[in-house]
């Protein structure tokens, strides 16, 4: 089960090594109603997941993180916290990531620079819709 309940904000973990890109995405998503956590690398992201006990709705992952250029973070999250949705945001063209087998075709993939509205709507499309009782429908 994800952390989203009526009255709480959807939680997004941004994992991006470029501090400027990370800051812009954080600001953009917070402005659009998300709780945003951020990490500059895979190890920090793993620690955040452990601290939050998986209570994160969406992992927003850069594919070209130092030490994790093969999508290992997303695979780890999928195996340990299967309810967490993943969105890749990368400067690597989508066709290259697909042809190399780094990402699966069904996983949302946005190329940088990303329009903040497109980013927010992509994330929102992955979240369950809640009714007035707080139950997903």
């Amino acid at each position: 089960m994800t952390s989203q309940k009526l009255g709480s904000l959807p939680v997004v973990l941004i994992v991006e090594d470029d501090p400027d890109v990370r800051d812009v995405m954080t600001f953009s998503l917070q402005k659009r109603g998300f709780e945003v956590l951020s990490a500059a690398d895979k190890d920090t992201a793993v620690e955040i997941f452990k601290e939050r006990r998986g209570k994160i709705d969406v992992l927003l992952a850069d594919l070209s993180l130092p030490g994790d250029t093969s999508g290992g973070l997303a695979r780890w999250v999928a195996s340990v916290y299967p309810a967490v949705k993943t969105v890749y945001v990368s400067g690597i063209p989508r066709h290259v990531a697909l042809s190399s087998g780094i990402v699966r075709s069904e996983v949302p993939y946005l190329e940088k620079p990303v329009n903040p509205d497109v980013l927010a709507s992509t994330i929102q499309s992955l979240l369950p819709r809640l009714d007035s009782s707080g139950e997903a429908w």
Side-chain angles (χ1 to χ4, degrees):
M1 182 171 161
T2 62
S3 66
Q4 190 180 9
K5 292 181 176 56
L6 188 65
S8 69
L9 300 176
V11 180
V12 178
L13 173 59
I14 297 172
V15 187
E16 166 63 56
D17 61 316
D18 184 318
D20 293 331
V21 173
R22 192 173 57 243
D23 289 347
V24 168
M25 286 194 295
T26 297
F27 175 78
S28 297
L29 291 175
Q30 286 174 334
K31 186 176 171 185
R32 288 163 177 80
F34 296 92
E35 178 183 343
V36 180
L37 308 170
S38 65
D41 56 54
K42 176 185 176 182
D43 293 339
T44 304
V46 168
E47 287 306 312
I48 291 170
F49 267 101
K50 289 177 180 178
E51 289 170 10
R52 298 286 299 234
R53 294 185 177 108
K55 293 181 181 172
I56 295 170
D57 297 299
V58 178
L59 169 66
L60 187 62
D62 184 359
L63 269 183
S64 57
L65 293 169
D68 185 31
T69 56
S70 63
L73 172 62
R75 283 192 301 280
W76 177 82
V77 169
S79 68
V80 178
Y81 303 106
V84 175
K85 306 297 183 190
T86 298
V87 176
Y88 289 109
V89 178
S90 184
I92 298 171
R94 186 180 201 292
H95 72 276
V96 171
L98 287 171
S99 66
S100 65
I102 297 173
V103 298
R104 297 181 324 269
S105 61
E106 68 274 8
V107 176
Y109 191 96
L110 303 171
E111 290 183 35
K112 295 178 190 172
V114 178
N115 176 300
D117 291 328
V118 171
L119 178 61
S121 67
T122 299
I123 292 169
Q124 192 63 47
S125 73
L126 299 173
L127 301 172
R129 295 182 64 182
L130 301 177
D131 66 19
S132 60
S133 71
E135 295 298 318
W137 54 279

